Amino acid sequence: MRFIMTCVAVGVIAGGSLARVGVAEEKPVSLDKLPEVVSAAVKKMFPQAKLVKATSEEEEEDEREYEVTLIDGDKTIDVTVDEEGEVESLEMAIPLDALPKKVTKTLRKRYADWKPASAEAIYEIEDGERELEYYEILLQSTDSKQREVKIQPNGKIAHDEHEHDEADDED
């Protein structure tokens, strides 16, 4: 019995330590405390935009990433920038009626019982060029449950948060 309790205790301690290692915590950053290279990179890409808020997150090997939220015209955009000022990705809120037909077809076919609530276009930035990776769509059920899906422009599902959670439950 003592052996079993020891194994359980070690498992709980190790599991807690592993969980903390894999989770980076976002911390708010005052816009006036944002590193100059980060704000300069965002302003270069969106010169007319108004910076609204920022967070920082420590990644692996003590590297820091910043997410800057801005308003550009009527668009809300989240820009992810590394500590050296390199823009890594963009998340742009888009109207649901701006989703491509292949994406809306997938939504109707696979998620008929769910209603799209909001959508974002997710871009990866490579050498200053935007490449559309997928659309992130927040779905809502009739009983107010929410689910997030990521669908590529060709209509293929890149990730379904709910299906991933169910797979974890089966393990």
Side-chain angles (χ1 to χ4, degrees):
M1 184 69 166
R2 184 180 298 166
F3 176 74
I4 292 173
M5 295 304 289
T6 302
C7 288
V8 168
V10 168
V12 167
I13 292 168
S17 297
L18 287 174
R20 281 190 295 279
V21 168
V23 176
E25 184 180 336
E26 281 188 3
K27 296 179 182 175
V29 175
S30 172
L31 292 174
D32 60 338
K33 301 282 188 212
L34 200 59
E36 181 58 36
V37 294
V38 173
S39 57
V42 173
K43 289 175 184 175
K44 180 179 177 186
M45 187 169 266
F46 298 98
Q48 302 301 315
K50 178 182 179 199
L51 279 59
V52 177
K53 69 177 184 173
T55 59
S56 77
E57 186 175 314
E58 193 170 316
E59 296 293 315
E60 62 227 28
E61 300 177 23
D62 293 330
E63 293 178 10
R64 189 160 296 282
E65 230 178 40
Y66 296 87
E67 184 172 276
V68 181
T69 301
L70 54 98
I71 305 291
D72 190 22
D74 61 348
K75 295 179 185 161
T76 300
I77 304 168
D78 291 326
V79 183
T80 302
V81 184
D82 69 16
E83 62 190 359
E84 295 163 1
E86 184 176 333
V87 176
E88 296 179 345
S89 65
L90 302 174
E91 297 179 17
M92 301 175 114
I94 62 167
L96 292 169
D97 61 4
L99 289 169
K101 289 182 182 180
K102 290 181 179 182
V103 172
T104 56
K105 182 179 177 182
T106 298
L107 287 170
R108 281 193 308 271
K109 184 177 176 183
R110 291 283 307 270
Y111 305 100
D113 295 338
W114 295 81
K115 181 181 179 196
S118 63
E120 292 182 320
I122 310 300
Y123 296 88
E124 183 176 306
I125 308 300
E126 194 68 44
D127 298 324
E129 297 292 318
R130 295 181 196 181
E131 182 180 337
L132 179 60
E133 292 291 307
Y134 54 86
Y135 294 94
E136 193 172 87
I137 300 128
L138 181 64
L139 303 173
Q140 193 159 13
S141 68
T142 53
D143 60 352
S144 298
K145 291 182 183 173
Q146 291 188 334
R147 165 185 211 166
E148 186 178 270
V149 295
K150 298 174 182 176
I151 303 177
Q152 297 169 348
N154 63 9
K156 293 189 179 183
I157 297 171
H159 180 77
D160 182 334
E161 175 183 83
H162 185 70
E163 287 177 5
H164 181 69
D165 291 344
E166 285 178 352
D168 289 345
D169 292 344
E170 293 172 6
D171 290 342

